[in-house]
Amino acid sequence: MTSEIILFVNPTAGRGRGARAALPASRVLRDAGYRVRTVLGTDADDAAGRLREALTSRPAAVLAVGGDGLAGLALQALAGTGTPLGLVAVGTGNDFARTLGLPVRDPEAAARFAVRTLEGPGPRPLDLGQVGDRWFGTVLAAGFDSRVNDRGNRMRLPAGRFKYDLAILAELAAFRPVPFKLALDDGPVLDLDATLVAVGNGTSYGGGLRMCDGARLDDGLFDVVVVGEVSRAELVRVFPKVYKGTHLSHPAVTVHRARSVTVEAPDITGYADGEPLGALPLTARCVPWAVRMLAP
């Protein structure tokens, strides 16, 4: 173990906030006596490879400077290694940091928190979701929400979150319930028509949508939220409640808890930490204490 901290940086996160955030975060770390090494890449695969190579120096921690996409990329390299991960959340959604109660869009505060945690209580072991060899920290989305992601990713303009607001409107116009097959742990396969299925290791996605509001990151279980068949008008009426998590009391919403979940539906892509995992069916398992986080 050394006094080196790696800054894993996405320079394009949040329209360039990642690049700007690296400087004040680095200054805080150096003032605290740490050596700072910056790692970035030309693309996701290159960045992940460079991070894995940098881990051979056994740093004190890695701080991911960017959004949920970069945090997810860091998890691929750090899960199971014991090297602590901290977040300097300056992306668009920042749901992993929100779930953990970490500073958002304040790189100096995030870096100071990381230093205090390393020198005080130490990292916190937390659960991760795993699909095949892919790890995720927040929510696996399948259904209406993942179709919004699909449509938004295909849109070149407008930029930023407004693009996904337009994608929501377009998907609402084409909305139809989806026939799902859902298997929880070793239980029977459930056949249901639903709006979406969200498998929550963490509580939120989409920049603060608290779809899995009761999920805990240290209980070894997913919160599996199923939004059943509802009309387009009812979906529009209930949707704002997701920002506070109060949608969970709606009669069309059910919540299950499970260690393993298989989700199957036609023509649906699963997303986790905002990134596509692939077409359903997908099986996710909750892996207890798979990562050590610099978190409260």
Side-chain angles (χ1 to χ4, degrees):
M1 184 70 69
T2 71
S3 61
E4 177 184 78
I5 290 181
I6 292 173
L7 286 185
F8 184 46
V9 181
N10 178 0
T12 65
R15 301 185 188 182
R17 283 192 296 267
R20 295 191 296 272
L23 294 177
S26 177
R27 184 167 55 249
V28 168
L29 298 174
R30 288 193 171 96
D31 287 347
Y34 290 93
R35 297 194 305 275
V36 178
R37 179 178 178 184
T38 300
V39 173
L40 48 81
T42 57
D43 56 31
D45 288 341
D46 182 55
R50 290 173 184 265
L51 178 58
R52 287 189 175 93
E53 181 180 352
L55 291 177
T56 60
S57 67
R58 301 190 67 217
V62 173
L63 297 191
V65 185
D68 287 325
L70 189 77
L73 197 60
L75 290 177
Q76 311 314 308
L78 291 173
T81 67
T83 300
L85 173 63
L87 304 178
V88 179
V90 292
T92 302
N94 304 310
D95 284 288
F96 201 15
R98 293 177 196 275
T99 296
L100 293 167
L102 294 172
V104 171
R105 296 184 184 173
D106 189 339
E108 291 186 349
R112 286 195 298 269
F113 177 84
V115 169
R116 289 197 304 271
T117 303
L118 282 170
E119 297 178 353
R124 178 184 171 193
L126 295 176
D127 307 338
L128 291 177
Q130 188 179 32
V131 177
D133 61 356
R134 291 279 299 276
W135 299 91
F136 67 93
T138 57
V139 178
L140 190 163
F144 176 79
D145 41 9
S146 61
R147 283 180 167 169
V148 168
N149 259 321
D150 281 340
R151 186 180 290 270
N153 290 342
R154 293 194 300 267
M155 296 168 63
R156 297 180 62 109
L157 293 173
R161 290 192 53 78
F162 187 52
K163 174 171 65 173
Y164 291 94
D165 293 337
L166 290 180
I168 288 173
L169 293 175
E171 282 301 318
L172 278 171
F175 172 72
R176 295 288 185 280
V178 177
F180 280 95
K181 292 182 182 294
L182 185 65
L184 306 171
D185 293 331
D186 298 324
V189 175
L190 307 176
D191 289 285
L192 57 144
D193 290 332
T195 302
L196 62 86
V197 174
V199 180
N201 183 57
T203 58
S204 73
Y205 61 179
L209 294 172
R210 301 185 67 84
M211 181 61 69
C212 303
D213 192 55
R216 291 178 49 188
L217 288 159
D218 59 359
D219 63 354
L221 296 169
F222 291 126
D223 274 32
V224 184
V225 176
V226 179
V227 179
E229 186 173 0
V230 295
S231 68
R232 185 181 294 112
E234 184 68 0
L235 183 59
V236 171
R237 189 185 72 81
V238 172
F239 182 79
K241 296 184 177 183
V242 181
Y243 285 99
K244 294 184 177 180
T246 55
H247 65 292
L248 295 177
S249 62
H250 190 279
V253 177
T254 55
V255 180
H256 311 270
R257 289 186 170 86
R259 292 178 175 82
S260 176
V261 182
T262 298
V263 187
E264 182 175 354
D267 304 318
I268 296 292
T269 299
Y271 280 77
D273 292 341
E275 301 296 323
L277 291 179
L280 302 187
L282 294 172
T283 297
R285 64 186 187 102
C286 186
V287 182
W289 293 11
V291 68
R292 299 171 71 219
M293 295 294 304
L294 301 180

